[in-house]
Amino acid sequence: MRWIAWNDATPSSLRRLDASVAAAAALVGFGNSWVKPSNGLLTGAPTVTVAVLSGAVGLLLWWRRKRTVMVGWLVVLCHLLLFTPTALAVALYTVGSTYPNRWRLLAWFAVLGCLSDAGALWLGGAWDFRGAAYSLALVVGPLVVGYAVALRRDLAAAAQTELATREREHVLQVEQARVNERSRIARDMHDVVAHRVGHIVLLAAALRVGPGVANPEVADDAEQIRHEGRRALEELRAILGVLTPDRAGRPAPRAPQVDAGDLDDLVRSARRAGLHADLSMEGEPGSLPTLVQQALYRTLQESLTNAAKYAPGANVGIELRCGPDTVDLTVINGPASGPPADELPSGGNGLLGLDERASLRGGELTAGPEGEGFRVDLHLPIAPPDTM
């Protein structure tokens, strides 16, 4: 809206510019009328009176942005009375640059401006062909220049709007591509990984109750495989739910929550896999926040899996220390007592993912060789990083 507070409508730099323009127009109008006799209806009036009034016309330009049309008409009328070409040119330029799409208004200003200038020159005895050309240039020229400036400004604004629109469309396209890629990954995981793990669960269940199982230990191992497979399927479905949200708006299934009490299950599974694992704990891990317990579980799970793969039959020492503010987990495995297992494929991203998980929690994970074995250390603050 144009009829708003001046301080809100015009920045300080623009106000200083308008003040300078108004002051310059006032000085030019005053000096022009003082130095030579004035044209216009006040021809013959005292020079001081005409000069002061001409300067006052220039000061009207201070309000040229806030009251563009009103100031424009006042300057056109005053030009007929006093002959103030500088103020007229500035006022008409402002009209042209402010209302480039109001053709009727611009036409009225052009016609009445030319009549005002022609009348001022005629009353002053300076009207001729040269005077007519001067009137046309003085009136139409500023209007055309103002219109051109407004047109350039509008084109620049339209270009910026188009650029912003294209950027938003690009962002949407990128996001849609990500959604499509996540959907493709989810379909591949469901068609390949989920199918394979489900088949393993079914085979383990058949082995556990099959007529050929006479050894209780074999039955227990089959049950452990079935249990781990079912848990892997549940976690996989939760991940698929994150990758491809339900189109009906239903929440994605949540992965089974793990806690420090499951650490004993991991150690027992490692022993079944041939590792000589020993767990010692200080403090109460069951009272730790859920995210901390999950980080402990995933770190121990990855460490024992790597030990079973690269150092089968090794001795594994596990220490968990729960302090008042921090928790530390150390997993050290010795050298292998047999050849490394090659049944488990490796992607090389396990420890990297654990390091990212620890960093997001404000902790630190270090892993590397120690002697003939391998050592993993996890240090986590109990409180989230933003509350410490």
Side-chain angles (χ1 to χ4, degrees), residues 109-125:
F109 267 102
V111 172
L112 295 181
C114 288
L115 292 177
S116 174
D117 188 69
L121 293 175
W122 180 74
L123 291 171

Side-chain angles (χ1 to χ4, degrees), residues 231-312:
R231 187 158 190 165
L233 281 177
E234 291 174 355
E235 294 180 352
L236 180 59
R237 291 193 183 98
I239 295 174
L240 295 180
V242 174
L243 291 175
T244 55
D246 196 300
R247 295 183 178 180
R250 295 187 296 268
R254 298 185 61 184
Q257 298 300 306
V258 298
D259 55 39
D262 294 323
L263 300 180
D264 290 329
D265 293 339
L266 286 177
V267 173
R268 284 192 292 270
S269 297
R271 290 170 181 166
R272 292 175 182 272
L275 295 175
H276 303 284
D278 181 49
L279 171 65
S280 65
M281 292 189 293
E282 298 179 8
E284 295 294 334
S287 62
L288 296 173
T290 302
L291 293 179
V292 175
Q293 296 186 31
Q294 290 179 356
L296 293 174
Y297 182 90
R298 298 304 181 192
T299 302
L300 181 58
Q301 183 183 49
E302 179 68 19
S303 301
L304 292 176
T305 300
N306 289 339
K309 179 179 180 181
Y310 298 108

Side-chain angles (χ1 to χ4, degrees), residues 6-28:
W6 175 252
N7 290 335
D8 295 336
T10 309
S12 58
S13 59
L14 204 55
R15 292 201 303 272
R16 289 194 297 268
L17 174 63
D18 289 343
S20 300
V21 171
L27 289 175
V28 171

Side-chain angles (χ1 to χ4, degrees), residues 155-238:
L155 289 176
Q160 291 179 353
T161 302
E162 179 68 17
L163 179 61
T165 302
R166 290 184 179 273
E167 289 179 351
R168 288 193 297 269
E169 291 177 352
H170 176 70
V171 171
L172 292 176
Q173 290 174 355
V174 171
E175 184 61 27
Q176 184 61 43
R178 291 175 178 172
V179 172
N180 294 338
E181 181 64 14
R182 287 197 296 265
S183 299
R184 185 191 64 80
I185 294 174
R187 289 193 299 269
D188 291 345
M189 291 177 64
H190 179 271
D191 295 342
V192 179
V193 180
H195 174 75
R196 295 293 185 184
V197 175
H199 189 60
I200 292 173
V201 171
L202 294 177
L203 291 177
L207 177 63
R208 180 175 61 91
V209 298
V213 177
N215 190 336
E217 293 184 357
V218 174
D220 290 342
D221 290 340
E223 173 60 22
Q224 182 67 21
I225 294 172
R226 188 188 69 85
H227 174 74
E228 292 296 331
R230 285 181 58 86
R231 187 158 190 165
L233 281 177
E234 291 174 355
E235 294 180 352
L236 180 59
R237 291 193 183 98

